[in-house]
Amino acid sequence: MTSHEGKQFPLRGLVLILAVIVLVACGEVKDGSGNKRETIALFTKNQVNPYFQTLRVAAQAAANELNVDLVNYIPTENDSIREQMSQIEDAITKRPSAAVFIPVDSKAMIPGVEKFNAAGIPVVNLTDRADGGEFVSFMGCDDYAVAADTARYLFKKMNGKGNVIIIEGQGGSSNNQKRMGGFKKALEEFPDIKLLASQTGNFQRSVALQVTENLLQAHSQIDGILAANDSMALGVIEALDAANRKALVIGLNGTKEAIDAVKAGKLLATGDCDGFLQGCMGTMGAVRHLRNLPVPKEIIFPITVFDSTNYQGADVPYEQRMCPKWESIVKE
Amino acid sequence: MARLARIPGVAFLLVLLGFVFAVVAPGFASLPNVLNIGIQSSTLLLLALPMTFIIMTEGLDLSMGALLGLTGVILASALVAGNNLIVAFAQALGVGLAFGIANGLLVVKMGLPPFVATLGTLGIAQGIALVMTKGESVAGIGPALPRLYASTWLGLPFSIVVAAVMYAVFHFLLYYTRFGNYVFAIGGNREALMLAGVPAGFVHVSVYALAGLMSGFAALLLTGRMNSGHPIAAMGMEFDAIAAVIVGGTERQRGNGWLPGTVLGVLAVGVLRNGLNVMAVQSSLQVASIGLLLIVALLIDSIRRRRQ
Amino acid sequence: MKYRLIGLLLIGIALALSSDAFATPSNLLNVLRQASLIFLSASGLTLVIVGAGLDLSVGANLGLSACFAAAAIKSTGALSLGLVAGLACGTIVGVLNGLMVTKLRLPPFIATYGMLWMLYGVNYWYMKGDTIYGFPAEFRALGSGDLLGIPVPVYLMMVGLLAGGIFTRYTTFGHEIYAIGANVEAARLSGIPVSSRLILLYTLSGAMAGLAGVVYLARLNSAEAGIGTPLLLPAIAAVLIGGTSLFGGSGGLAGTLIGAIVLTLVLNGMNLLGINSNWQPLVTGVIILLAALIDSITRKHAEIRA
């Protein structure tokens, strides 16, 4: 920085800045004055997991049907607690009519939910239960139960005996805690299933692949592998293929790629509750609440363990799916 | 006149962004939202202030995010164990300081490159945090910290007050003390400093110690904000801090530091993120915009430098 | 360098003693394959750092290149087109980085960090949360296959090492890079076309990231926007553990290979020994510090003796 430039204003820089502004403004949600449509603010955890993409598409479909606006809030850094907290504050500035909220962390986001509560914005808790705060409803299922059910399925397929390894998710994630809890519970119920190793794959495909390769070296007899999400499960499968080893693998999330792997016989099963359905119901529930229609305090979606016999239900591309009628899911 | 030349391009961007968002995004220019920007930026500023000193000494501290996670967990655990806030805070500060001193000694006494030394301590801090908590967050910290975090001082939220006070402290330290002179000198002319001997080494280590201390301080804000301690909540923040410092005009190569620029850098990113959220811009576009902001800010400076 | 090799051997011996599964040909090849992948991602980066630069965008570049390669293969069915697309993406990003650092005079940290964000933005927008998967076996062999019992990536690594070695030791360009890294002003004064050399360096880094992206695609059999996220820090760590200095002018690819192997051994060892995963960052951090301390102590020794 020298002292000679003084008051010169960088014209070329200004042009660049204007280009940035135009770029940014193109993404602006049309929020015209006098617009009386209700706005639903949907909070999902990241841009990379296909599970959330399906959920968002479903929510948009429901919003279109119900004639409301849907605004998406996704952290720019995947699963960022700090960012989701900031996005809550920023969303409140826009005063959405209601929020549909998937917390990045079940405990750390409680102050965020309380911000919604303080601002008088009704919130539907979707997919992962937050451990505090006031909600219109919780709709989702329990990661613990999903993990336990999927693990039990695997152990039954193994006839209750054999060696297994676990590929864990990211340390520090509340999802991971619950899923590990579920796996461990199922293990307790099958005393002849032996856990050889439990190592982290960080919820990432390449890490899970590398770790599985290493564990295959360490243990000559592995009959079953439990992966804490589909992304990792698919990495596990590649490792098995490359090493010419066979094992029964289960994942969690029910993503399209996993379903295809189940179809192809590479993946034994993937368990979850329907992400598409959750997207629909969460949005519909929020809108119903705004329109003074009854919404149950809790909707626990059934857990499906998708295997080679029943994957057809999940095998429809989300572009072709439609939201069901509220009444067909919620029986009064 | 010389002052205006000093002002980095990010300042103009900040003003422009603020103006544009105020016009284009309803709700942006409201007092609550402006306060939000301050609250959201305060933790990063606490990290970016000591980072400015470190970068002025031609160093880097990559461990700050992991350390913030660790001190946050220690603060939370101490509170859960029933300690009062002062004791718990002291523990967090102590651990932060210890790591900071370790970083400083590794860099100054053992001659390790800062990138490498702090990459190592990053792993160690993160590892300790994960092992301590078994990978779980620490909740149930009691009402004292949340109450402090939610308190307002002269109408301003606690975190903004802390950030402002810390800025004043660092500003004073850098521009009005002998310590600050040494910080400038370490980056600029190390040989001349060698002759000064012990004080220079002490200052150089202290610069890293300060960073560790501030990580502990920032734990107060982060844990208060999340009402829990989380081992990996602050991962990667050091990169944002480094970017804010460089964008604010501090140059690695010549020991040229401008502390107000760091505030501008932190605010520019904070304003951009906030404005994009308030405008509900598509997330992938937000990600790209952040990169664009950093590049354009320095591009402006580069073009201005070329014009003379 | 020889201390690094000794250190590496010590780690190897320690692991061989504590785990039966470690010192088997199968596991050692396994480790080599994994290390080759880190090496490929970090190879171009090494040269950039030798030239006193920095490229933080390698992970993001790798990921985007993999996604474009995947899309190219899926839409045309031609495997070679995938390779071309991946390399092209990587190279273009590298050129842009080079231009930003030289023509626009942006500091490398900001230029490449800003590029990182922009690449992820493009990647997220392009992939829309989906994955592209299912590739033919011939393609997958690039990442997970073997040739004469040796994993394919290891061959790539050897070629890269050889080419890089020849390049840095026996070409003018190679010498120029070290000169630029050591003292850019002196290099400029002695007639070296610094700008064009730097652009070439960043282009190389980008191209290698692109190549690595294609290999990762082959290995994972799937492309998703987040592939590159866990790959940046290991790449940088491999370069630094290998002894290449961030200030430029020293180090090289052989060091990066050793660094890559050390990092791979840490994870391999922890998996084989069944050490709780929460300890992994701690062990990695300690190893990084130990490697640097050994370096520092041996350098001081050499200085005293000289």
Side-chain angles (χ1 to χ4, degrees):
Chain A
M1 312 281 168
T2 71
S3 49
H4 292 304
E5 301 162 331
K7 307 154 217 170
Q8 271 185 332
F9 203 89
L11 277 171
R12 261 174 283 170
L14 192 47
V15 170
L16 271 155
I17 297 164
L18 284 174
V20 173
I21 302 306
V22 168
L23 202 74
V24 163
C26 283
E28 183 200 352
V29 163
K30 298 287 168 279
D31 187 28
S33 54
N35 195 338
K36 289 283 183 285
R37 273 160 67 107
E38 297 127 318
T39 318
I40 308 288
L42 173 63
F43 289 79
T44 43
K45 296 198 209 175
N46 62 59
Q47 301 180 65
V48 292
N49 191 337
Y51 184 83
F52 295 119
Q53 181 62 16
T54 307
L55 198 148
R56 286 189 287 263
V57 168
Q60 185 64 62
N64 293 342
E65 242 177 89
L66 295 167
N67 217 6
V68 300
D69 284 329
L70 186 76
V71 177
N72 270 305
Y73 291 95
I74 318 171
T76 60
E77 291 172 52
N78 301 330
D79 309 312
S80 167
I81 294 174
R82 291 179 294 116
E83 237 193 291
Q84 192 175 62
M85 195 69 85
S86 300
Q87 288 193 321
I88 293 177
E89 289 168 338
D90 298 341
I92 291 178
T93 307
K94 276 179 73 75
R95 300 232 46 101
S97 319
V100 176
F101 186 66
I102 305 179
V104 165
D105 184 278
S106 55
K107 296 202 181 78
M109 297 316 300
I110 297 177
V113 179
E114 289 168 352
K115 288 188 216 282
F116 277 127
N117 300 149
I121 297 173
V123 194
V124 169
N125 186 195
L126 199 62
T127 311
D128 289 327
R129 196 187 290 265
D131 287 349
E134 295 285 314
F135 292 105
V136 166
S137 171
F138 167 72
M139 302 184 189
C141 55
D142 183 12
D143 261 6
Y144 182 94
V146 175
D149 280 357
T150 316
R152 286 187 194 112
Y153 179 83
L154 170 68
F155 299 153
K156 288 204 193 103
K157 279 290 179 206
M158 287 169 63
N159 291 321
K161 53 182 186 295
N163 295 334
V164 296
I165 60 176
I166 293 180
I167 308 293
E168 304 170 7
Q170 187 179 36
S173 146
S174 50
N175 280 108
N176 186 42
Q177 285 166 40
K178 296 190 185 133
R179 293 176 194 185
M180 287 304 115
F183 284 164
K184 299 284 164 60
K185 180 81 175 57
L187 273 170
E188 284 167 21
E189 295 165 9
F190 289 82
D192 289 327
I193 299 275
K194 188 153 175 272
L195 179 66
L196 294 177
S198 182
Q199 292 283 304
T200 184
N202 256 328
F203 282 138
Q204 279 156 346
R205 194 185 300 239
S206 56
V207 183
L209 199 162
Q210 185 167 347
V211 168
T212 307
E213 281 179 337
N214 291 336
L215 291 176
L216 288 174
Q217 297 294 328
H219 307 283
S220 51
Q221 183 66 27
I222 299 178
D223 307 301
I225 305 184
L226 301 93
N229 79 351
D230 278 343
S231 195
M232 295 198 300
L234 294 161
V236 170
I237 293 174
E238 291 304 321
L240 284 169
D241 259 357
N244 232 336
R245 298 264 298 257
K246 296 233 178 300
L248 298 175
V249 183
I250 54 125
L252 303 173
N253 266 174
T255 63
K256 176 170 185 303
E257 197 179 343
I259 298 290
D260 277 352
V262 168
K263 236 200 294 192
K266 297 244 172 217
L267 187 67
L268 176 70
T270 169
D272 215 338
C273 339
D274 195 342
F276 191 89
L277 188 56
Q278 286 182 49
C280 294
M281 298 299 287
T283 312
M284 293 199 281
V287 176
R288 280 179 69 91
H289 177 83
L290 290 173
R291 296 177 182 172
N292 287 316
L293 296 169
V295 177
K297 227 18 184 131
E298 208 176 66
I299 300 182
I300 306 292
F301 293 101
I303 299 169
T304 315
V305 179
F306 293 104
D307 66 1
S308 51
T309 62
N310 67 353
Y311 66 82
Q312 292 80 355
D315 200 20
V316 183
Y318 55 68
E319 298 88 3
Q320 293 174 17
R321 290 183 65 174
M322 289 195 315
C323 284
K325 292 249 169 293
W326 176 267
E327 295 73 23
S328 64
I329 308 289
V330 178
K331 314 276 193 285
E332 290 299 346
Chain B
M1 301 309 121
R3 274 305 176 81
L4 198 61
R6 258 246 94 148
I7 297 179
V10 74
F12 300 113
L13 269 185
L14 178 58
V15 168
L16 199 58
L17 279 176
F19 181 70
V20 169
F21 282 135
V23 167
V24 151
F28 177 82
S30 61
L31 184 62
N33 191 55
V34 170
L35 287 181
N36 276 343
I37 296 176
I39 295 173
Q40 291 159 10
S41 310
S42 50
T43 310
L44 186 60
L45 183 64
L46 288 188
L47 297 185
L49 288 170
M51 189 70 85
T52 314
F53 285 16
I54 293 179
I55 291 182
M56 283 170 68
T57 65
E58 292 188 339
L60 276 181
D61 186 348
L62 293 184
S63 65
M64 293 189 85
L67 192 51
L68 175 50
L70 176 60
T71 51
V73 158
I74 289 182
L75 176 64
S77 305
L79 287 172
V80 167
N83 293 298
N84 69 44
L85 190 51
I86 312 237
V87 169
F89 187 42
Q91 289 183 21
L93 284 179
V95 170
L97 186 62
F99 265 86
I101 294 178
N103 276 336
L105 291 176
L106 284 170
V107 169
V108 179
K109 290 290 174 252
M110 298 305 305
L112 298 193
F115 210 110
V116 182
T118 56
L119 191 60
T121 46
L122 179 165
I124 296 178
Q126 189 188 0
I128 296 179
L130 282 174
V131 170
M132 255 185 76
T133 61
K134 299 202 192 5
E136 303 180 8
S137 54
V138 180
I141 61 174
L145 182 54
R147 222 180 296 143
L148 179 62
Y149 184 77
S151 62
T152 59
W153 302 54
L154 298 173
L156 290 175
F158 176 69
S159 40
I160 295 184
V161 172
V162 169
V165 167
M166 275 305 146
Y167 176 77
V169 168
F170 273 80
H171 188 104
F172 180 77
L173 212 53
L174 185 63
Y175 293 112
Y176 294 96
T177 67
R178 187 84 76 82
F179 183 89
N181 290 343
Y182 273 114
V183 173
F184 273 103
I186 293 176
N189 187 348
R190 202 150 327 168
E191 282 72 38
L193 255 199
M194 298 278 234
L195 301 175
V198 172
F202 172 77
V203 170
H204 201 177
V205 171
S206 304
V207 155
Y208 288 92
L210 263 176
L213 191 67
M214 290 313 290
S215 295
F217 218 105
L220 197 65
L221 295 187
L222 190 61
T223 311
R225 189 161 163 74
M226 300 191 304
N227 210 359
S228 56
H230 207 274
I232 56 171
M235 291 300 293
M237 276 190 87
E238 59 279 341
F239 277 91
D240 295 330
I242 295 172
V245 171
I246 298 182
V247 150
T250 299
E251 297 171 279
R252 287 196 64 203
Q253 253 63 36
R254 269 169 279 161
N256 257 336
W258 201 48
L259 205 59
T262 300
V263 180
L264 294 175
V266 169
L267 278 179
V269 176
V271 163
L272 178 67
R273 283 176 174 277
N274 172 280
L276 291 179
N277 277 332
V278 173
M279 282 174 63
V281 167
Q282 190 188 20
S283 193
S284 55
L285 201 53
Q286 287 192 22
V287 173
S289 303
I290 292 167
L292 203 53
L293 172 75
L294 297 177
I295 291 178
V296 169
L298 280 173
L299 191 56
I300 295 175
D301 287 338
S302 174
I303 294 176
R304 285 162 83 205
R305 232 174 309 157
R306 212 107 56 102
R307 271 159 165 250
Q308 38 84 339
Chain C
M1 178 59 70
K2 59 180 193 282
Y3 289 101
R4 292 214 146 65
L5 280 169
I6 294 178
L8 183 59
L9 267 155
L10 283 174
I11 298 179
I13 293 175
L15 283 175
L17 289 175
S18 27
S19 166
D20 293 326
F22 177 74
T24 63
S26 166
N27 186 51
L28 292 176
L29 284 173
N30 174 42
V31 166
L32 272 179
R33 183 198 302 271
Q34 296 166 355
S36 302
L37 285 155
I38 300 183
F39 176 81
L40 284 174
S41 346
S43 47
L45 176 65
T46 310
L47 295 178
V48 167
I49 294 181
V50 166
L54 187 58
D55 187 354
L56 296 173
S57 67
V58 289
N61 192 358
L62 195 160
L64 187 61
S65 302
C67 291
F68 282 155
I73 296 179
K74 280 295 175 181
S75 58
T76 65
L79 299 178
S80 48
L81 213 61
L83 184 60
V84 168
L87 274 172
C89 173
T91 310
I92 293 175
V93 171
V95 170
L96 290 175
N97 278 334
L99 289 174
M100 281 199 288
V101 170
T102 55
K103 298 295 174 221
L104 301 183
R105 310 267 183 87
L106 300 185
F109 188 100
I110 295 291
T112 57
Y113 190 53
M115 178 61 91
L116 179 160
W117 280 90
M118 294 202 295
L119 290 177
Y120 275 122
V122 171
N123 210 350
Y124 292 147
W125 167 80
Y126 183 73
M127 296 299 286
K128 296 191 186 0
D130 286 329
T131 60
I132 304 178
Y133 54 93
F135 295 92
E138 313 91 71
F139 179 71
R140 280 154 45 209
L142 193 62
S144 20
D146 294 325
L147 199 60
L148 304 171
I150 310 268
V152 173
V154 177
Y155 287 107
L156 292 174
M157 177 267 289
M158 292 197 290
V159 168
L161 195 59
L162 196 60
I166 295 177
F167 174 77
T168 51
R169 231 175 281 245
Y170 300 113
T171 67
T172 327
F173 190 168
H175 292 153
E176 286 171 349
I177 296 175
Y178 281 87
I180 294 174
N183 188 335
V184 64
E185 278 318 311
R188 193 169 282 137
L189 289 173
S190 67
I192 297 177
V194 172
S195 280
S196 60
R197 295 297 178 255
L198 283 177
I199 294 178
L200 266 158
L201 272 183
Y202 281 95
T203 308
L204 251 172
S205 177
M208 290 312 291
L211 177 64
V214 176
V215 178
Y216 264 99
L217 176 65
R219 177 166 153 83
L220 296 173
N221 199 17
S222 171
E224 54 186 359
I227 293 185
T229 318
L231 300 176
L232 175 63
L233 278 189
I236 297 181
V239 175
L240 295 178
I241 295 179
T244 301
S245 164
L246 265 179
F247 292 113
S250 67
L253 289 170
T256 301
L257 178 60
I258 296 184
I261 296 180
V262 167
L263 279 175
T264 311
L265 282 181
V266 170
L267 186 58
N268 182 265
M270 299 201 64
N271 289 157
L272 291 181
L273 296 173
I275 298 177
N276 186 311
S277 293
N278 286 331
W279 288 92
Q280 277 175 26
L282 194 84
V283 173
T284 312
V286 169
I287 300 273
I288 291 177
L289 282 183
L290 277 176
L293 280 168
I294 293 176
D295 209 31
S296 158
I297 295 176
T298 56
R299 212 181 312 139
K300 290 211 177 120
H301 241 266
E303 278 167 24
I304 294 173
R305 263 188 285 139

